[in-house]
Amino acid sequence: MARAYSAYPSSRRPKRIGATFLLLLASVASGPVPAQSPARQPASAPAATYASPADIYGDLFAAVQMRRIFADGKTFADAVPRRAPAAILRDYRAGDFANDAALKRFVLDNFIVPAEAAPAPSAGGEQARPPLTTHIAMLWPELTRQPVRPEPGSSALAVPAPYVVPGGRFREIYYWDSYFTMLGLTRDGRDDLVESMIDDFVALVERHGHIPNGTRSYYLSRSQPPVLYLMIGLSKTRNPAVQRRRLAALRREHAYWMRGADTLRPGGSAYHVVAMPDGSLLNRYWDDRDSPRDESWREDVLVAREAGRPSGEIFRDLRAGAESGWDFTSRWLGDGRSLATIRTSRIVPVDLNSLLHGLERAIAEDCARLADRACARDFAARADKRKAAITRYLWDAAKGYFADYDIDHKRTKGAVTAAALYPLFTGVATQAQASAIAGATHRWLLAPGGLRTTTVTTGQQWDSPNGWAPLQWIGAEGLRRTGHAALARDIAQRWLRTVAREYRASGRMLEKYDVEDIRPGGGGEYPLQDGFGWTNGVTRAFIAAYPDLQY
């Protein structure tokens, strides 16, 4: 169910934030790209060419978020001004809004605030529910949105063609979600939406130089796991002009992820790139800003208060965690437990580098298909070098699985997570490695309701006991592709039973599930969402891949 947008009772909120604190928050958000630490970031960071709501509304934005005028921080970030922002700010600064009700009234008078998201349609009473595949097919129109031409002052980004949203509070298109959603669209014959969504993402690369986390101005400083090449792999288009345009977008996306690589010496890092001790290049998650996220402003400020480290470091690592899609998880935490110890940008993740290997191979193959031999040789060599570096630094031979690399401690982090299956999915793992990972998966990651995300319980949503649709697909497909068909089938079976059990009980498709107790998932910064794009897509794809399974 989507989160309600009514304010909390005033007795549970601070009455007024001190002027000094508001000025501090405003100053944190005032610069498009704050100064970077020279040890971790080149001084010549590119200038931002956008403004987020926090930039535009400064102390008003900070007050609305910190006083929790709306229960979901994304609400005000998505609001549209009814008049010029400068006039709104002038009137705000001239007024007295110490009372929360008065501040909320001011916001509602001056902004069009998004309505609470309606729950996705449930499929009638338990006895009258249609088959799961029928329900999923009926949800696609409910989740489809038309092209976007942003209103003046909106945080929305332009989107030229129809697309599918995840659902709930996620009212715009999101990057990595969309690939898993497309898996279901293709099985339901919605190639029109697959093609239009690919066109949308290509247009975003052409306009912004990369695909943002989602189509909001406040997401532009980061991306998400690079899966555009996987989306293009679902396309049935054979038009050479379209293929060349899409290849150009892939090459530009790759350049975004490799920005700053030519400045590095062994042990250095710049933006998304890390030079390993032998000089080979791998990647990390990163965000160009080191201020609180607009959509989770209050949450980020409160985490930074606890951290005992420079707030800019905390904010950037929270943002980088959001770029990973695993927001949040013990993978990014220094102590493995507390969000205040987050250090995402000091970790080289196995999933990101596996996907970038896949991207490099895809570019090489597309270049060869279009007779660009120099490009094909270049990217094939890049992929080979990345594979060697992944094997050297991210493979833990003693434990028998791939793991994230800790830059500061110069070793793998050790914990087994579902990210260990990405090298099987993208062709990085050898057959021997795949067999070892299959054993580790069966031993530690296989839960009653599907694949565990991690083996630890922290209260973060990308940890145990939650299971997530994208990881079920990556894991099962990776195992199937490397000869472990029985285990892949078992994962699909368990996941389908989990999804079907909740569907029979409530008629809903959920964002995440508890795969230990086979029930709705929990944890995270916002309530459990339904809809839900990638769950629909992966579930539909599993049903198509294993039509004889009983669920």
Side-chain angles (χ1 to χ4, degrees):
M1 186 75 71
R3 176 177 289 194
Y5 289 87
S6 58
Y8 274 22
S10 58
S11 62
R12 294 175 58 188
R13 295 190 302 266
K15 296 295 183 184
R16 187 171 181 85
I17 298 176
T20 301
F21 185 53
L22 280 178
L23 287 172
L24 172 62
L25 291 182
S27 69
V28 167
S30 61
V33 181
Q36 314 301 331
S37 166
R40 298 186 182 181
Q41 172 75 12
S44 57
T49 57
Y50 59 90
S52 76
D55 299 326
I56 297 168
Y57 298 108
D59 50 350
L60 168 59
F61 187 88
V64 171
Q65 299 294 59
M66 290 305 298
R67 289 162 61 179
R68 208 168 189 178
I69 299 303
F70 301 100
D72 188 340
K74 196 172 183 302
T75 302
F76 190 47
D78 293 354
V80 179
R82 298 180 187 271
R83 57 195 180 110
I88 294 174
L89 277 173
R90 183 181 62 245
D91 289 349
Y92 168 70
R93 288 165 180 164
D96 180 4
F97 301 103
N99 179 276
D100 287 351
L103 180 57
K104 185 173 184 179
R105 185 70 262 162
F106 178 83
V107 171
L108 295 177
D109 286 344
N110 286 279
F111 294 86
I112 302 169
V113 175
E116 179 180 352
S122 62
E126 184 172 353
Q127 302 305 316
R129 301 205 204 288
L132 188 52
T133 52
T134 302
H135 180 60
I136 291 171
M138 293 170 61
L139 284 175
W140 298 133
E142 298 289 338
L143 296 172
T144 298
R145 303 291 182 267
Q146 296 307 308
V148 175
R149 293 183 179 178
E151 299 177 59
S154 170
S155 63
L157 300 178
V159 182
Y163 58 94
V164 176
V165 299
R169 74 196 287 266
F170 302 110
R171 55 182 69 91
E172 49 280 308
I173 192 171
Y174 283 79
Y175 184 10
W176 82 308
D177 293 62
S178 295
Y179 167 64
F180 301 97
T181 298
M182 290 180 188
L183 293 172
L185 291 171
T186 60
R187 271 68 176 191
D188 278 334
R190 294 305 310 270
D191 294 326
D192 58 322
L193 281 171
V194 171
E195 298 296 338
S196 67
M197 290 169 75
I198 294 172
D199 289 344
D200 286 333
F201 287 120
V202 168
L204 287 167
V205 174
E206 292 171 344
R207 187 177 304 115
H208 302 292
H210 68 287
I211 298 172
N213 182 154
T215 48
R216 292 281 173 181
S217 61
Y218 53 78
Y219 287 142
L220 272 169
S221 57
R222 62 179 181 267
S223 186
Q224 273 196 323
V227 294
L228 177 59
Y229 81 94
L230 293 171
M231 299 179 191
I232 292 172
L234 298 175
S235 173
K236 297 177 182 176
T237 296
R238 297 297 176 261
N239 183 314
V242 172
Q243 290 177 332
R244 282 192 291 271
R245 182 185 177 195
R246 290 176 176 179
L247 173 58
L250 292 180
R251 295 185 67 174
R252 190 169 180 188
E253 178 178 49
H254 185 269
Y256 167 79
W257 284 95
M258 299 307 295
R259 178 178 48 148
D262 56 357
T263 70
L264 295 180
R265 295 180 178 179
S269 57
Y271 309 111
H272 289 97
V273 189
V274 177
M276 305 303 285
D278 65 351
S280 58
L281 299 177
L282 290 174
N283 288 76
R284 63 180 176 178
Y285 291 112
W286 177 260
D287 191 300
D288 285 340
R289 288 177 173 247
D290 62 358
S291 56
R293 292 170 294 158
D294 286 40
E295 74 281 12
S296 300
W297 181 279
R298 182 177 187 272
E299 291 85 347
D300 288 1
V301 169
L302 295 181
V303 169
R305 283 182 184 173
E306 300 175 18
R309 288 163 50 202
S311 60
E313 291 183 11
I314 298 296
F315 296 146
R316 191 188 306 284
D317 283 331
L318 288 166
R319 286 170 165 272
E323 180 178 68
S324 77
W326 291 48
D327 44 341
F328 293 101
T329 172
S330 55
R331 291 177 67 192
W332 316 138
L333 307 183
D335 66 0
R337 295 286 172 180
S338 169
L339 198 56
T341 67
I342 192 165
R343 48 193 300 276
T344 318
S345 63
R346 305 307 296 162
I347 295 164
V348 176
V350 62
D351 45 358
L352 172 59
N353 285 283
S354 297
L355 288 171
L356 286 168
H357 172 269
L359 172 59
E360 289 161 347
R361 294 298 312 176
I363 292 173
E365 291 166 6
D366 288 351
C367 286
R369 190 176 302 115
L370 295 172
D372 186 341
R373 295 183 181 85
C375 166
R377 286 193 300 270
D378 178 24
F379 278 90
R382 290 172 183 262
D384 289 344
K385 289 178 182 178
R386 186 179 298 274
K387 182 175 181 178
I390 292 172
T391 300
R392 177 170 185 182
Y393 291 104
L394 307 184
W395 172 248
D396 191 324
K399 295 180 178 176
Y401 51 78
F402 288 95
D404 301 326
Y405 180 86
D406 188 309
I407 297 170
D408 296 324
H409 294 95
K410 296 182 172 57
R411 62 174 184 266
T412 57
K413 291 195 69 181
V416 61
T417 76
L421 289 149
Y422 274 74
L424 282 66
F425 182 77
T426 64
V428 171
T430 65
Q431 196 58 51
Q433 288 169 337
S435 294
I437 292 168
T441 298
H442 192 276
R443 189 176 309 116
W444 290 306
L445 296 177
L446 193 62
L451 278 180
R452 296 181 177 95
T453 305
T454 70
T455 59
V456 297
T457 302
T458 62
Q460 300 302 327
Q461 63 176 350
W462 287 84
D463 280 320
S464 184
N466 286 344
W468 293 80
L471 302 182
Q472 312 301 315
W473 182 258
I474 294 289
E477 271 296 284
L479 289 161
R480 184 191 65 80
R481 294 175 186 182
T482 53
H484 300 279
L487 182 53
R489 179 186 174 88
D490 192 11
I491 292 167
Q493 173 86 82
R494 293 172 189 236
W495 180 252
L496 289 176
R497 286 178 175 166
T498 296
V499 173
R501 177 175 176 175
E502 178 60 28
Y503 172 67
R504 286 192 294 269
S506 69
R508 300 190 302 161
M509 304 290 287
L510 302 180
E511 178 189 19
K512 63 200 175 204
Y513 296 83
D514 179 332
V515 294
E516 302 292 351
D517 294 328
I518 312 183
R519 62 184 183 182
E525 297 178 315
Y526 53 84
L528 182 63
Q529 304 293 296
D530 69 348
F532 194 87
W534 64 18
T535 302
N536 304 342
V538 168
T539 299
R540 185 66 185 86
F542 272 148
I543 292 171
Y546 303 98
D548 60 325
L549 288 180
Q550 299 297 310
Y551 52 88

